[in-house]
Amino acid sequence: VKEGRTQAVPEALKGTGYSGAKRLGHGEGYKYAHDYPGHHVEQEYMPQAKVYYQPTDEGFEKTIKENFKKSRKSPSK
């Protein structure tokens, strides 16, 4: 994180709480995860994939790793 460049926030994730947001396309196409089964939806959160954390097979990290795998396979609308 310290060495990498920041990425632009996708338009769908930009704030909509001000008068010019709609004109700029902010929030357009946003999918609210809680409206989908398992509270997971395919949506672009980062333009370029980056890995910041890789859980191991030890202890509770094994459970986290399994949950990551499940969430990537879950159906979305």
Side-chain angles (χ1 to χ4, degrees):
V1 172
K2 289 180 183 178
E3 296 171 8
R5 292 179 168 250
T6 59
Q7 297 182 43
V9 175
E11 297 300 321
L13 301 180
K14 290 185 179 178
T16 59
Y18 61 98
S19 62
K22 187 172 184 174
R23 179 179 51 82
L24 296 171
H26 293 188
E28 191 173 311
Y30 177 72
K31 297 175 185 174
Y32 183 62
H34 292 276
D35 288 342
Y36 294 84
H39 306 288
H40 180 268
V41 63
E42 290 295 323
Q43 181 167 235
E44 182 181 295
Y45 293 101
M46 295 179 70
Q48 298 172 347
K50 296 229 179 205
V51 176
Y52 294 103
Y53 171 67
Q54 192 68 22
T56 67
D57 288 324
E58 297 181 28
F60 188 68
E61 288 194 25
K62 185 174 183 176
T63 302
I64 294 170
K65 189 175 189 176
E66 291 168 2
N67 288 339
F68 279 172
K69 287 179 184 177
K70 286 178 191 175
S71 71
R72 290 185 181 116
K73 292 179 183 176
S74 69
S76 61
K77 292 182 182 176

